[in-house]
Amino acid sequence: MFSSIHHIALIVSDYEKSKAFYTEVLGLEIIQEVYREERQSYKLDLALNGVYSIELFSFPDFKPRASRPEALGLRHLAFAVEDIEAAIDRLQLFQVEVEPIHVDEYTGKKFTFFFDPDGLPLELYSI
């Protein structure tokens, strides 16, 4: 029935700060940026390696969402990386705090977490 996941949509509290984080720090590419006057909202379409992946939205009346400890709903967004140490080094160049590396007890793969400007948990997972 499904062929793939099309995209992930994120509502952000500070549009410019999140735009810079996802494009400059994480390196996602801007496909399209639109300001929707009737909603007083930006919509930013982002691609990862040329594949449409994430939509960032700004809304003037967003509602905060619990993230930790283990709130119901989307838990985190994970990015596959070939070299987790190099990915961590890049994040740290931008003063992004990264948790210590863990090893998945079932796959033996390395992973770690960091957070976007709104505290959304993001994961690096070795492939």
Side-chain angles (χ1 to χ4, degrees):
M1 183 165 102
F2 302 120
S3 59
S4 67
I5 293 175
H6 188 265
H7 69 272
I8 297 161
L10 305 174
I11 297 173
V12 301
S13 65
D14 182 325
Y15 178 75
E16 292 300 328
K17 187 174 185 179
S18 292
K19 176 183 174 182
F21 179 81
Y22 281 91
T23 59
E24 296 169 21
V25 177
L26 299 188
L28 278 74
E29 309 132 35
I30 296 174
I31 298 171
Q32 177 177 266
E33 180 177 37
V34 176
Y35 182 73
R36 303 171 309 170
E37 183 68 41
E38 71 284 358
R39 297 174 130 187
Q40 299 177 346
S41 168
Y42 279 97
K43 178 179 181 283
L44 182 65
D45 299 332
L46 299 170
L48 179 60
N49 297 320
V51 177
Y52 183 77
S53 301
I54 295 177
E55 294 176 343
L56 288 187
F57 290 94
S58 67
F59 290 104
D61 58 350
F62 67 90
K63 308 291 185 278
R65 182 176 309 193
S67 177
R68 285 189 169 198
E70 304 304 341
L72 182 67
L74 181 65
R75 186 172 185 203
H76 61 265
L77 171 60
F79 294 97
V81 295
E82 291 186 23
D83 184 339
I84 196 166
E85 287 84 2
I88 291 168
D89 289 345
R90 174 168 167 73
L91 290 172
Q92 290 175 335
L93 285 175
F94 292 92
Q95 278 69 58
V96 174
E97 291 184 34
V98 181
E99 293 182 357
I101 293 174
H102 305 281
V103 176
D104 186 309
E105 63 184 289
Y106 301 108
T107 66
K109 301 287 186 173
K110 295 178 182 178
F111 69 96
T112 189
F113 288 92
F114 63 104
F115 299 89
D116 83 349
D118 287 310
L120 175 67
L122 303 173
E123 181 182 12
L124 299 176
Y125 197 91
S126 294
I127 54 173

